[in-house]
Amino acid sequence: MDQITVVNRELEDGQRLLVALLAEGLEVRAAFWAKPTEASKPYLYVVSPLVDNKGPRAAIEVAQDVVRKTP
């Protein structure tokens, strides 16, 4: 399997996003970087009970709102 490195900027951006999500009141149970396929880039996955409680659309709306507000 091909090894890739998540660079410091991606790690810092991910950390900043997680802090912003928490500040917005989103409960985060886990977060991790993963590369879903060999050909894709790594993505930050966030695990939250909001998906089970209110559905994926509610979680996506919160995340999109936070991303728009976060530098």
Side-chain angles (χ1 to χ4, degrees):
M1 183 162 88
D2 187 28
Q3 297 286 325
I4 61 161
T5 303
V6 177
V7 295
N8 285 341
R9 181 179 170 116
E10 290 170 318
L11 292 174
E12 291 167 2
D13 288 348
Q15 179 73 26
R16 193 171 18 263
L17 177 60
L18 290 173
V19 168
L21 289 170
L22 291 167
E24 193 68 27
L26 181 71
E27 182 180 349
V28 175
R29 295 266 174 96
F32 58 93
W33 287 94
K35 187 177 170 189
T37 66
E38 290 284 330
S40 68
K41 62 183 180 177
Y43 290 94
L44 179 63
Y45 289 82
V46 177
V47 180
S48 174
L50 181 62
V51 175
D52 288 333
N53 296 336
K54 295 191 177 180
R57 172 170 254 152
I60 290 169
E61 287 173 355
V62 169
Q64 287 177 332
D65 185 49
V66 169
V67 167
R68 279 193 281 278
K69 292 191 248 179
T70 304

XYZ file of all heavy atoms in Angstrom:
552
model
N 0.852 -1.181 0.000
C 0.000 0.000 0.000
C 0.891 1.234 0.000
O 1.877 1.321 0.711
C -0.909 -0.017 1.219
C -1.857 1.144 1.239
S -3.252 0.920 2.344
C -2.593 1.547 3.855
N 0.509 2.219 -0.761
C 1.251 3.459 -0.884
C 1.107 4.273 0.395
O 0.019 4.420 0.939
C 0.705 4.247 -2.084
C 1.526 5.484 -2.386
O 2.731 5.467 -2.081
O 0.960 6.435 -2.935
N 2.210 4.801 0.882
C 2.199 5.639 2.072
C 2.187 7.105 1.656
O 2.909 7.499 0.751
C 3.450 5.374 2.914
C 3.527 3.967 3.449
C 2.552 3.736 4.585
O 2.287 4.626 5.378
N 1.996 2.558 4.661
N 1.350 7.906 2.304
C 1.342 9.346 2.051
C 1.506 10.061 3.382
O 1.266 9.495 4.440
C 0.054 9.826 1.358
C -1.157 9.538 2.238
C -0.105 9.218 -0.001
C -2.344 10.344 1.880
N 1.886 11.284 3.309
C 2.059 12.085 4.513
C 1.070 13.241 4.472
O 0.966 13.932 3.472
C 3.491 12.642 4.578
O 4.400 11.550 4.539
C 3.707 13.439 5.840
N 0.360 13.414 5.559
C -0.496 14.587 5.694
C 0.425 15.699 6.192
O 1.051 15.580 7.238
C -1.647 14.338 6.689
C -2.471 15.590 6.870
C -2.514 13.191 6.217
N 0.531 16.751 5.423
C 1.487 17.811 5.746
C 0.988 18.671 6.895
O -0.197 18.675 7.230
C 1.804 18.685 4.516
C 2.515 17.884 3.444
C 0.563 19.343 3.975
N 1.916 19.415 7.489
C 1.592 20.232 8.657
C 0.430 21.180 8.416
O -0.415 21.361 9.286
C 2.820 21.035 9.097
C 3.837 20.181 9.802
O 3.527 19.089 10.276
N 5.059 20.666 9.868
N 0.364 21.780 7.232
C -0.732 22.720 6.958
C -2.084 22.009 7.028
O -3.042 22.540 7.598
C -0.542 23.374 5.598
C -1.655 24.371 5.308
C -1.493 25.053 3.990
N -2.696 25.789 3.707
C -2.742 27.096 3.596
N -1.663 27.813 3.714
N -3.884 27.697 3.334
N -2.183 20.810 6.447
C -3.440 20.055 6.509
C -3.785 19.712 7.954
O -4.940 19.805 8.363
C -3.348 18.789 5.667
C -3.317 19.058 4.180
C -2.976 17.821 3.377
O -2.082 17.065 3.794
O -3.606 17.631 2.325
N -2.788 19.313 8.726
C -3.037 18.992 10.130
C -3.514 20.225 10.896
O -4.465 20.149 11.676
C -1.772 18.437 10.781
C -1.325 17.061 10.293
C 0.018 16.691 10.907
C -2.372 16.005 10.585
N -2.863 21.361 10.651
C -3.259 22.598 11.321
C -4.661 23.037 10.897
O -5.462 23.474 11.731
C -2.251 23.702 11.029
C -0.909 23.466 11.694
C 0.193 24.375 11.177
O -0.090 25.242 10.314
O 1.335 24.222 11.633
N -4.965 22.936 9.613
C -6.308 23.290 9.121
C -7.362 22.375 9.735
O -8.440 22.826 10.123
C -6.373 23.214 7.598
C -5.621 24.334 6.911
O -5.219 25.306 7.590
O -5.420 24.234 5.680
N -7.059 21.086 9.817
C -7.986 20.137 10.436
C -8.217 20.456 11.900
O -9.351 20.431 12.386
N -7.135 20.782 12.610
C -7.248 21.145 14.020
C -8.095 22.401 14.188
O -8.966 22.473 15.051
C -5.851 21.378 14.609
C -5.854 21.783 16.063
C -6.204 20.645 16.995
O -5.990 19.491 16.668
N -6.747 20.973 18.136
N -7.858 23.401 13.341
C -8.629 24.651 13.397
C -10.115 24.382 13.139
O -10.984 24.931 13.819
C -8.060 25.643 12.380
C -8.544 27.038 12.533
C -7.837 28.097 11.690
N -7.062 27.667 10.543
C -5.740 27.473 10.550
N -5.045 27.641 11.650
N -5.108 27.103 9.454
N -10.404 23.520 12.174
C -11.797 23.183 11.884
C -12.446 22.460 13.069
O -13.586 22.769 13.438
C -11.901 22.326 10.625
C -13.298 21.843 10.268
C -14.238 23.021 10.030
C -13.270 20.938 9.056
N -11.742 21.520 13.664
C -12.305 20.793 14.814
C -12.577 21.737 15.978
O -13.631 21.639 16.621
C -11.367 19.665 15.242
C -11.277 18.500 14.266
C -10.190 17.529 14.705
C -12.608 17.795 14.118
N -11.671 22.654 16.242
C -11.885 23.640 17.311
C -13.119 24.482 17.001
O -13.953 24.745 17.876
C -10.623 24.521 17.502
C -10.914 25.725 18.381
C -9.491 23.690 18.085
N -13.267 24.898 15.752
C -14.426 25.708 15.354
C -15.722 24.908 15.469
O -16.747 25.446 15.899
C -14.240 26.229 13.931
N -15.692 23.636 15.084
C -16.888 22.795 15.208
C -17.289 22.640 16.669
O -18.475 22.742 17.019
C -16.643 21.417 14.583
C -16.557 21.369 13.067
C -16.064 20.008 12.594
C -17.896 21.710 12.423
N -16.315 22.419 17.526
C -16.601 22.297 18.956
C -17.158 23.603 19.514
O -18.099 23.599 20.316
C -15.340 21.876 19.713
C -14.865 20.451 19.449
C -13.457 20.252 19.998
C -15.821 19.437 20.048
N -16.580 24.725 19.098
C -17.052 26.038 19.560
C -18.486 26.304 19.114
O -19.239 26.998 19.796
C -16.127 27.142 19.045
N -18.867 25.736 17.975
C -20.225 25.893 17.441
C -21.212 24.976 18.161
O -22.411 25.048 17.957
C -20.211 25.604 15.945
C -21.435 26.010 15.202
C -21.631 27.517 15.114
O -20.643 28.268 15.154
O -22.787 27.942 14.999
N -20.677 24.082 19.009
C -21.547 23.193 19.779
C -21.701 21.806 19.196
O -22.478 20.998 19.707
N -20.964 21.511 18.133
C -21.033 20.181 17.537
C -20.213 19.219 18.383
O -19.033 19.450 18.623
C -20.495 20.188 16.109
C -20.555 18.846 15.389
C -21.989 18.484 15.053
C -19.719 18.878 14.131
N -20.841 18.159 18.866
C -20.115 17.151 19.634
C -19.305 16.286 18.674
O -19.857 15.693 17.745
C -21.087 16.282 20.425
C -20.386 15.259 21.285
C -21.337 14.391 22.078
O -22.551 14.702 22.127
O -20.872 13.391 22.626
N -18.006 16.234 18.890
C -17.112 15.431 18.050
C -16.632 14.252 18.883
O -16.016 14.429 19.928
C -15.909 16.268 17.552
C -14.933 15.403 16.781
C -16.394 17.427 16.695
N -16.941 13.045 18.429
C -16.515 11.836 19.134
C -15.162 11.341 18.644
O -14.402 10.760 19.394
C -17.547 10.730 18.954
C -18.884 11.026 19.579
C -18.957 10.444 20.983
N -20.166 10.833 21.657
C -21.263 10.100 21.705
N -21.312 8.945 21.100
N -22.311 10.548 22.362
N -14.880 11.565 17.363
C -13.603 11.143 16.776
C -13.372 11.940 15.507
O -14.313 12.452 14.902
C -13.632 9.646 16.455
N -12.121 12.035 15.130
C -11.758 12.677 13.864
C -10.477 12.016 13.379
O -9.597 11.685 14.184
C -11.560 14.168 14.048
N -10.396 11.804 12.074
C -9.216 11.149 11.528
C -9.071 11.473 10.049
O -10.040 11.785 9.371
C -9.293 9.629 11.714
C -10.504 8.995 11.089
C -10.449 8.482 9.802
C -11.701 8.919 11.779
C -11.575 7.912 9.217
C -12.828 8.336 11.213
C -12.758 7.831 9.916
N -7.835 11.433 9.595
C -7.538 11.588 8.176
C -7.538 10.209 7.549
O -6.988 9.259 8.116
C -6.171 12.231 7.979
C -6.128 13.681 8.318
C -5.762 14.229 9.506
C -6.466 14.764 7.463
N -5.859 15.601 9.446
C -6.277 15.956 8.189
C -6.901 14.856 6.139
C -6.507 17.215 7.655
C -7.126 16.112 5.600
C -6.936 17.274 6.355
N -8.148 10.074 6.374
C -8.142 8.804 5.647
C -8.157 9.078 4.153
O -8.669 10.097 3.697
C -9.342 7.945 6.035
N -7.598 8.147 3.441
C -7.568 8.211 1.981
C -8.470 7.072 1.495
O -8.086 5.914 1.541
C -6.126 8.026 1.512
C -5.922 8.232 0.057
C -4.441 8.102 -0.262
C -4.261 8.058 -1.758
N -2.900 7.729 -2.127
N -9.691 7.375 1.047
C -10.666 6.327 0.723
C -10.265 5.407 -0.435
O -10.650 4.249 -0.455
C -11.946 7.084 0.410
C -11.593 8.509 0.311
C -10.234 8.707 0.878
N -9.538 5.923 -1.395
C -9.084 5.084 -2.509
C -7.635 5.417 -2.812
O -7.125 6.466 -2.419
C -9.915 5.322 -3.791
O -9.676 6.646 -4.259
C -11.404 5.106 -3.560
N -6.985 4.530 -3.531
C -5.589 4.747 -3.909
C -5.412 6.054 -4.685
O -4.417 6.739 -4.527
C -5.090 3.580 -4.761
C -4.931 2.290 -3.997
C -3.685 2.272 -3.127
O -2.686 2.921 -3.489
O -3.734 1.613 -2.089
N -6.380 6.389 -5.507
C -6.253 7.549 -6.395
C -6.692 8.860 -5.751
O -6.485 9.923 -6.324
C -7.058 7.311 -7.662
N -7.294 8.810 -4.587
C -7.835 10.036 -3.992
C -6.839 10.678 -3.038
O -5.839 10.090 -2.652
C -9.140 9.731 -3.268
O -8.882 8.932 -2.136
N -7.169 11.899 -2.647
C -6.370 12.602 -1.649
C -6.946 12.283 -0.265
O -8.076 11.797 -0.155
C -6.382 14.095 -1.925
C -7.763 14.726 -1.845
C -7.712 16.196 -2.192
C -9.102 16.788 -2.098
N -9.116 18.210 -2.346
N -6.210 12.576 0.796
C -6.747 12.305 2.132
C -7.853 13.302 2.499
O -7.824 14.459 2.098
C -5.540 12.460 3.054
C -4.543 13.243 2.295
C -4.836 13.048 0.841
N -8.812 12.816 3.264
C -9.923 13.633 3.739
C -9.987 13.548 5.254
O -9.650 12.520 5.838
C -11.264 13.132 3.173
C -11.409 13.374 1.700
C -11.060 12.399 0.778
C -11.891 14.586 1.225
C -11.190 12.617 -0.579
C -12.023 14.812 -0.134
C -11.671 13.824 -1.027
O -11.791 14.053 -2.375
N -10.460 14.621 5.877
C -10.682 14.632 7.316
C -12.107 14.142 7.573
O -13.071 14.738 7.093
C -10.501 16.046 7.879
C -10.739 16.205 9.376
C -9.737 15.396 10.182
C -10.686 17.679 9.765
N -12.223 13.063 8.307
C -13.529 12.516 8.675
C -13.814 12.905 10.119
O -12.934 12.844 10.976
C -13.533 10.993 8.547
C -13.505 10.526 7.115
C -12.311 10.458 6.408
C -14.676 10.171 6.468
C -12.287 10.038 5.085
C -14.653 9.749 5.152
C -13.457 9.689 4.472
O -13.437 9.282 3.170
N -15.056 13.310 10.387
C -15.466 13.716 11.721
C -16.661 12.852 12.118
O -17.619 12.718 11.354
C -15.857 15.220 11.751
C -16.342 15.627 13.123
C -14.675 16.074 11.316
N -16.583 12.281 13.315
C -17.647 11.418 13.828
C -18.409 12.192 14.896
O -17.812 12.673 15.861
C -17.057 10.118 14.426
C -18.158 9.227 14.959
C -16.212 9.391 13.389
N -19.720 12.318 14.706
C -20.546 13.069 15.646
C -21.893 12.374 15.830
O -22.483 11.883 14.861
C -20.780 14.486 15.127
O -21.692 15.173 15.963
N -22.414 12.363 17.058
C -23.741 11.784 17.279
C -24.856 12.591 16.621
O -25.979 12.106 16.509
C -23.885 11.759 18.802
C -22.910 12.732 19.313
C -21.804 12.795 18.306
N -24.567 13.797 16.154
C -25.576 14.598 15.465
C -26.139 13.848 14.261
O -27.329 13.965 13.958
C -24.990 15.947 15.033
C -25.939 16.906 14.317
C -27.100 17.301 15.228
C -25.193 18.145 13.851
N -25.314 13.073 13.600
C -25.773 12.303 12.430
C -26.856 11.312 12.847
O -27.887 11.192 12.183
C -24.594 11.587 11.739
C -25.099 10.696 10.613
C -23.587 12.593 11.222
N -26.639 10.605 13.957
C -27.650 9.649 14.428
C -28.893 10.360 14.963
O -30.008 9.893 14.778
C -27.071 8.762 15.533
C -26.066 7.767 15.006
O -26.155 7.389 13.816
O -25.168 7.358 15.772
N -28.678 11.498 15.632
C -29.796 12.199 16.273
C -30.666 12.999 15.307
O -31.883 13.013 15.436
C -29.277 13.126 17.373
C -28.603 12.370 18.493
O -28.873 11.198 18.711
N -27.710 13.031 19.192
N -30.025 13.691 14.344
C -30.780 14.573 13.452
C -30.564 14.288 11.975
O -31.128 14.970 11.126
C -30.450 16.031 13.745
C -30.901 16.463 15.132
C -30.807 17.949 15.302
C -31.337 18.348 16.666
N -31.259 19.779 16.877
N -29.685 13.348 11.668
C -29.447 12.980 10.277
C -28.223 13.650 9.692
O -27.730 14.663 10.201
N -27.717 13.084 8.596
C -26.512 13.613 7.982
C -26.659 15.039 7.448
O -25.719 15.824 7.497
C -26.198 12.634 6.855
C -27.389 11.781 6.694
C -28.196 11.885 7.934
N -27.837 15.379 6.973
C -28.033 16.732 6.433
C -27.785 17.793 7.512
O -27.154 18.818 7.254
C -29.426 16.883 5.849
C -29.707 18.330 5.458
C -30.956 18.500 4.677
N -30.494 18.757 3.324
C -31.146 18.466 2.237
N -32.304 17.890 2.311
N -30.652 18.743 1.066
N -28.269 17.565 8.724
C -28.061 18.525 9.815
C -26.575 18.684 10.118
O -26.091 19.805 10.315
C -28.811 18.081 11.065
N -25.848 17.585 10.127
C -24.409 17.642 10.400
C -23.671 18.366 9.281
O -22.776 19.184 9.539
C -23.856 16.231 10.583
N -24.042 18.100 8.056
C -23.402 18.757 6.916
C -23.677 20.253 6.949
O -22.786 21.065 6.684
C -23.866 18.124 5.590
C -23.285 16.714 5.463
C -23.475 18.985 4.390
C -23.879 15.891 4.340
N -24.894 20.650 7.289
C -25.225 22.077 7.358
C -24.386 22.787 8.418
O -23.878 23.881 8.178
C -26.716 22.258 7.622
C -27.574 21.925 6.414
C -29.062 21.942 6.716
O -29.458 22.120 7.888
O -29.845 21.768 5.762
N -24.223 22.163 9.582
C -23.395 22.755 10.626
C -21.954 22.875 10.133
O -21.324 23.921 10.262
C -23.452 21.920 11.927
C -22.392 22.387 12.923
C -24.830 21.986 12.552
N -21.449 21.798 9.557
C -20.064 21.792 9.081
C -19.847 22.848 7.990
O -18.854 23.578 8.022
C -19.692 20.408 8.567
N -20.756 22.943 7.040
C -20.612 23.935 5.973
C -20.648 25.347 6.533
O -19.887 26.216 6.093
C -21.694 23.750 4.910
C -21.470 22.553 4.043
C -22.597 22.347 3.029
O -23.742 22.746 3.267
N -22.264 21.719 1.926
N -21.509 25.602 7.486
C -21.586 26.923 8.097
C -20.274 27.264 8.796
O -19.761 28.380 8.651
C -22.758 26.977 9.085
C -22.975 28.353 9.655
O -23.026 29.326 8.876
O -23.071 28.466 10.893
N -19.731 26.309 9.516
C -18.462 26.533 10.223
C -17.327 26.737 9.230
O -16.483 27.629 9.407
C -18.162 25.372 11.191
C -16.753 25.455 11.728
C -19.176 25.368 12.332
N -17.282 25.962 8.160
C -16.223 26.102 7.148
C -16.284 27.489 6.526
O -15.240 28.134 6.318
C -16.326 24.998 6.069
C -15.470 25.307 4.867
C -15.932 23.646 6.674
N -17.474 27.977 6.250
C -17.610 29.324 5.646
C -17.082 30.413 6.595
O -16.526 31.402 6.148
C -19.069 29.611 5.309
C -19.534 28.992 4.015
C -20.863 29.563 3.575
N -21.998 29.017 4.268
C -22.602 27.864 3.969
N -22.164 27.131 2.973
N -23.637 27.451 4.637
N -17.258 30.218 7.904
C -16.848 31.216 8.881
C -15.389 31.097 9.308
O -14.843 32.007 9.893
C -17.707 31.109 10.142
C -19.145 31.511 9.935
C -19.811 31.631 11.297
C -20.840 30.558 11.467
N -21.506 30.608 12.768
N -14.781 29.955 9.042
C -13.426 29.691 9.528
C -12.383 30.058 8.466
O -12.476 29.595 7.341
C -13.282 28.195 9.900
O -14.290 27.868 10.854
C -11.917 27.908 10.494
N -11.417 30.887 8.869
C -10.371 31.254 7.885
C -9.474 30.077 7.516
O -9.318 29.155 8.244
C -9.587 32.339 8.607
C -9.976 32.296 10.038
C -11.224 31.503 10.150
